[in-house]
Amino acid sequence: MSEQVMVELRLIEQTFRLATTASEKEELERAGQMLNEKFNEMRRNAPRVEHNKLVIMVALQLMQDVLSMNKSLQEYAHCERLLETILNDVEQIV
């Protein structure tokens, strides 16, 4: 089991102290960086939108990205199963 560490991150104009494991620290920091990049991009595109609304827009966009990736993974898994079935059929014929 990995050692627990505290990480201080500046996320969407606020500072957070978060507990994580030493092995996941770098990934958490990268996720925070990506979140800030998405927020700053949306801030540039909509400079007059209220902070709280902008945060919700960022969260919604990220969830759309997650759903899209999940759909792609499901389609990939379906194709993988079809290929496995075809290969099994070919092996039985040969």
Side-chain angles (χ1 to χ4, degrees):
M1 190 155 128
S2 192
E3 168 189 347
Q4 287 284 313
V5 295
M6 293 300 292
V7 178
E8 188 169 288
L9 298 175
R10 181 103 174 125
L11 303 171
I12 307 180
E13 302 174 356
Q14 296 184 35
T15 301
F16 294 87
R17 281 185 56 84
L18 305 168
T20 189
T21 61
S23 63
E24 294 178 341
K25 179 180 182 244
E26 188 175 316
E27 189 174 290
L28 179 62
E29 290 171 335
R30 178 68 182 128
Q33 181 182 10
M34 292 171 69
L35 177 62
N36 286 332
E37 289 170 3
K38 179 65 82 174
F39 178 81
N40 291 331
E41 175 187 328
M42 292 192 97
R43 170 61 74 209
R44 283 189 300 277
N45 293 333
R48 294 196 166 109
V49 173
E50 294 174 32
H51 179 83
N52 291 341
K53 288 182 180 180
L54 195 60
V55 169
I56 291 170
M57 290 169 61
V58 168
L60 185 58
Q61 177 63 52
L62 293 173
M63 289 311 302
Q64 285 180 308
D65 292 348
V66 167
L67 290 174
S68 177
M69 282 188 256
N70 189 32
K71 182 178 179 184
S72 294
L73 286 172
Q74 288 175 356
E75 290 171 358
Y76 176 80
H78 177 70
C79 290
E80 196 172 48
R81 286 191 299 274
L82 285 175
L83 284 172
E84 186 176 333
T85 300
I86 292 169
L87 287 173
N88 287 338
D89 290 346
V90 168
E91 286 177 359
Q92 287 178 2
I93 293 171
V94 174

